Amino acid sequence: VPALVIHLPDANPPLGALGMSRSETILAESEKRTVNVAFENLNNIDNLSAMLSRFPSPNAGYCYDSCQHFNFSPGIDLLKPYGHRRTALHLQDNGGTHNQHQLPPDGKIDWQDVMQKSREPIIVARPP
């Protein structure tokens, strides 16, 4: 398995000690097995930022989800600030209804913008 994608809980309440402890355990195992752990953007931009700040490991990254971005934080650029940590992509389109998951480009997502901001290569942790 090259990557494990984790959906973080909603931003309110923020991640607690138990969630952080479990994440530390998962990341320690991922480093032993050279598996990327990719935290996906959902309705949790604060938690995503907290996880990426807390875990600088090359095995801890970001899964960009285009549909969730469109649904929950369309006014926030999630590709530029987190692009250097991107380890996975979850690309699907959205016609305006919550969580539609359409094939690109059948919805309203600006794919030219997404692709322009996604030009950095995806990071993959390699064995030492």
Side-chain angles (χ1 to χ4, degrees), residues 7-58:
H7 287 186
L8 297 170
D10 290 342
N12 191 10
L15 283 168
L18 180 59
M20 288 296 187
S21 174
R22 288 177 176 167
S23 297
E24 287 173 6
T25 301
I26 291 168
L27 282 164
E29 283 300 314
S30 78
E31 290 171 349
K32 291 178 193 174
R33 302 172 192 274
T34 317
V35 173
N36 289 309
V37 175
F39 300 105
E40 186 172 331
N41 60 287
L42 296 170
N43 183 16
N44 59 9
I45 304 308
D46 292 337
N47 283 337
L48 174 66
S49 179
M51 294 302 274
L52 293 175
S53 296
R54 174 140 179 189
F55 300 110
S57 167

Side-chain angles (χ1 to χ4, degrees), residues 62-83:
Y62 168 48
C63 175
Y64 174 73
D65 185 313
S66 57
C67 185
Q68 304 299 349
H69 186 190
F70 185 85
N71 283 322
F72 295 117
S73 51
I76 299 172
D77 184 353
L78 297 177
L79 289 164
K80 188 174 182 180
Y82 302 119

